Amino acid sequence: MSGYAEIAAHYREVIRNGDLKPGDQMPSYSAAVEEHRVNRTTVVRAYDVLKAEGLIVSQPGKGTVVASSPLVVTGADRVDRMSRNGRRYAPGESSTAHRVMRRSVYDPEVCQALQLEPGDEVVIRIRTFRQDDRATTVGVSIYPPRTLAEVPELAEEGRMTHYFGDLYTERTGREVVKGQRTAEARQASQNELDALEIDAPPHVSVAVLVTKVTFHDEDGPLGHWEDVYAPGTRMPLPE
């Protein structure tokens, strides 16, 4: 027998994975009671949790359905989802404005994360993630020369069709490990505002949430990812 928290966790995962799409009906209370072998009160409590999180809503004549704009999943969370069910995008998700560039890196934080000297050349990949055609996140991934030597596709224009870590492991036999993800709030740059389609006056500061994570193998760092979330975007945190 499951408790209401376990039932909520089950449907939360189903929604995040895209097995239930925005607008899809949730199981009726009776169906959920039978599936999880609990009483009606337990199911109602579980659904109330999901409603409070903005994942499901009640609609007259339709019952309980998945919300049209559930939590946004990008970056490292997408890698986890792909490993579970092979889906790069959940229903309603897409990415646009893919750009690839070679640059000399001078940002102290990036240099430290990738163990590079200021002025070393990296490849930077930038794209805008969207939910229901609304820009929600700017994704930036930065790769040092040793990663490019094994995965040259990272320097090519267009969307990557495979997670770079899978390609790297396939070609080197070395496991790629995801480091600790961190988050901070800061002022958005004008480039980030443009990518997120935010029209703010020049004198107005817009705060954004930024998450960062670095990937490694046994010999050192392989890539540094940053996601810049638009104001008002709801994202899941690790449980």
Side-chain angles (χ1 to χ4, degrees):
M1 180 179 293
S2 302
Y4 80 93
E6 287 80 8
I7 295 172
H10 165 74
Y11 288 119
R12 188 184 297 118
E13 191 70 13
V14 167
I15 293 169
R16 287 182 184 175
N17 287 343
D19 297 317
L20 279 174
K21 309 173 185 61
D24 281 354
Q25 277 191 305
M26 292 288 291
S28 66
Y29 288 154
S30 297
V33 164
E34 183 175 349
E35 177 183 355
H36 298 282
R37 294 182 294 174
V38 295
N39 59 43
R40 181 183 176 89
T41 300
T42 301
V43 171
V44 171
R45 291 184 69 189
Y47 277 34
D48 285 345
V49 169
L50 298 175
K51 288 176 182 177
E53 294 176 354
L55 290 175
I56 63 176
V57 294
S58 296
Q59 288 189 351
K62 293 190 66 175
T64 304
V65 302
V66 178
S68 59
S69 295
L71 299 179
V72 170
V73 178
T74 59
D77 291 324
R78 178 169 282 108
V79 172
D80 294 337
R81 184 171 64 194
M82 288 175 63
S83 69
R84 290 192 299 268
N85 61 21
R87 292 193 180 103
R88 179 177 292 271
Y89 299 110
E93 290 182 336
S94 62
S95 60
T96 57
H98 289 255
R99 291 180 289 154
V100 181
M101 59 194 77
R102 290 184 181 269
R103 292 289 187 271
S104 296
V105 62
Y106 292 95
D107 185 297
E109 185 173 353
V110 175
C111 287
Q112 181 178 24
L114 294 177
Q115 297 179 8
L116 298 173
E117 295 294 327
D120 284 350
E121 186 177 83
V122 297
V123 161
I124 304 174
R125 300 183 63 88
I126 303 175
R127 58 276 191 203
T128 299
F129 291 104
R130 312 180 74 87
Q131 178 70 42
D132 299 326
D133 204 33
R134 178 178 66 90
T136 57
T137 321
V138 176
V140 180
S141 52
I142 307 168
Y143 301 97
R146 79 182 194 93
T147 309
L148 297 170
E150 303 295 346
V151 191
E153 297 95 324
L154 290 167
E156 298 174 0
E157 294 289 341
R159 182 171 66 85
M160 289 284 292
T161 57
H162 295 83
Y163 165 48
F164 90 95
D166 290 341
L167 297 175
Y168 184 87
T169 298
E170 178 183 307
R171 295 166 187 177
T172 67
R174 295 195 292 270
E175 181 184 6
V176 177
V177 178
K178 180 178 65 178
Q180 175 64 54
R181 186 167 60 167
T182 62
E184 65 180 26
R186 62 163 171 77
Q187 180 178 334
S189 69
Q190 187 59 54
N191 286 339
E192 291 164 346
L193 293 175
D194 292 342
L196 292 170
E197 301 171 359
I198 297 173
D199 186 14
H203 61 281
V204 174
S205 296
V206 178
V208 289
L209 178 69
V210 183
T211 60
K212 304 177 182 182
V213 64
T214 302
F215 296 82
H216 307 258
D217 72 354
E218 60 192 25
D219 293 328
L222 294 168
H224 181 71
W225 289 10
E226 298 184 1
D227 286 309
V228 182
Y229 294 80
T233 298
R234 302 182 68 186
M235 59 168 287
L237 295 175
E239 297 176 354

